[in-house]
Amino acid sequence: MDYKTLLKTGLLASTLMASLPSFAETTLGISLQLPLKHHLGQNLVDFKQEVEEKSNGDIKIKIYPSAQLFKDSEVHQAVSSGAIEMGVMSLSQLAGTIPAVDVFYVPFMFPSQDKVEAATRPDSPVRMLLDEAIQKTGTRPLWWQAYGGVALLSKNKPIKQPEDMEGMKVRVFGKTLGEFVKAVGGAPTSMAGSEQFLAYQRGTVDAGMTGVSAVGPRKLYQVMDYLTLTNHADIEFLTVINEKVWESLTPANQKVLSDAARKVELQLRNKIKKIESDAIADAEKNMKVIHLDEADVAAWRKATTSVKESFLDNSGPLGAKVIQAAEKL
């Protein structure tokens, strides 16, 4: 049985979680869907270096990039079951279990980077409510990773006004984003990020939503003509650790992980503005980039007001608390 199979079955993780002498080295594996060169991959490399240095080698971090072990949709189950110690996942993957996490996809709830930063700080009421709910699933959030704002891609015609999307088949990656598309007369199609290129190339969908920073690495400019910067939603990833693995660590090693997590979280949050501005500049070399003015944004806000109500109906009491906390920021 190879190493990957052992991880998949959880046998290796069970072995690592067994009682170890205090002097034994601890190895923590992390599943990542993206390549190491992506900014989330580099964030993990920074974490690995910080942990191994500060623990004097007592903790080793092993990164498995490019979905070698698990797809995004499999990461939470893999970590909560102990099939792997840690994993990077998009926050939206928890929407089936914790619908309130989709608050970041409620249209224009976080329309500026400043408000995103306020909502994602560890001491933010928004994040504290969500972290507490996530921890009840057997996984502990170690840190959140900024991915950037959501933009619209289209091929045969630009999207500037809400009515421009009417009748279009649109790639989305979450229920609330799907409600956004329905609100303006489009037909949402849920699709993994890695499937976008072929879907756009083949015309399976007419338009799509994606993170601005994904346009270059995924070469989406080769198959789409227009990029519309709506900034109507924010994409967050997070790194989680199996709760039993966390509890098996010494307080000193828990502190090493927590301190390193906070350090790399701040580093990435501070970098995201430049990452996005560079991504937009690169996109402008190959695509027509459409910037919305205040009147355009007002039209999109008005057209998508029903999405917030759908979110509240779907997310229950926790969703209401999260919305209330977000609106107070």
Side-chain angles (χ1 to χ4, degrees), residues 261-320:
R262 183 57 181 150
K263 181 175 181 178
V264 299
E265 177 172 336
L266 283 171
Q267 286 174 346
L268 182 53
R269 190 68 62 181
N270 292 334
K271 290 177 183 176
I272 195 64
K273 287 183 182 178
K274 186 176 188 308
I275 289 170
E276 287 204 303
S277 63
D278 288 348
I280 292 168
D282 286 341
E284 287 176 332
K285 299 173 185 176
N286 302 287
M287 310 173 73
K288 173 66 175 176
V289 177
I290 299 165
H291 299 263
L292 302 185
D293 59 28
E294 290 184 9
D296 295 328
V297 173
W300 283 98
R301 283 179 179 270
K302 183 178 180 180
T304 58
T305 51
S306 62
V307 181
K308 178 181 172 183
E309 296 308 315
S310 298
F311 169 82
L312 288 169
D313 289 342
N314 186 52
S315 59
L318 179 59

Side-chain angles (χ1 to χ4, degrees), residues 167-219:
M168 282 189 171
K169 291 179 290 183
V170 185
R171 178 261 172 170
V172 299
F173 46 95
K175 177 180 174 62
T176 303
L177 293 178
E179 293 298 323
F180 177 97
V181 172
K182 290 179 184 177
V184 296
T189 300
S190 185
M191 187 183 300
S194 59
E195 298 172 355
Q196 285 184 90
F197 186 94
L198 284 178
Y200 299 149
Q201 186 180 54
R202 294 170 178 172
T204 306
V205 293
D206 308 302
M209 291 189 192
T210 194
V212 174
S213 63
V215 174
R218 294 194 187 278
K219 302 187 186 304

Side-chain angles (χ1 to χ4, degrees), residues 49-60 252-253 256:
Q49 293 172 346
E50 184 73 12
V51 167
E52 292 181 352
E53 178 185 339
K54 290 299 194 290
S55 70
N56 295 316
D58 288 346
I59 306 175
K60 296 292 185 184
N253 281 344
V256 167

Side-chain angles (χ1 to χ4, degrees), residues 138-180:
T139 60
R140 173 182 290 263
L142 269 182
W143 80 96
W144 287 33
Q145 293 159 298
Y147 194 91
V150 177
L152 303 178
L153 292 164
S154 57
K155 190 170 188 178
N156 296 321
K157 70 171 187 177
I159 298 172
K160 194 168 191 290
Q161 296 291 324
E163 55 266 29
D164 293 335
M165 199 180 281
E166 188 171 353
M168 282 189 171
K169 291 179 290 183
V170 185
R171 178 261 172 170
V172 299
F173 46 95
K175 177 180 174 62
T176 303
L177 293 178
E179 293 298 323
F180 177 97

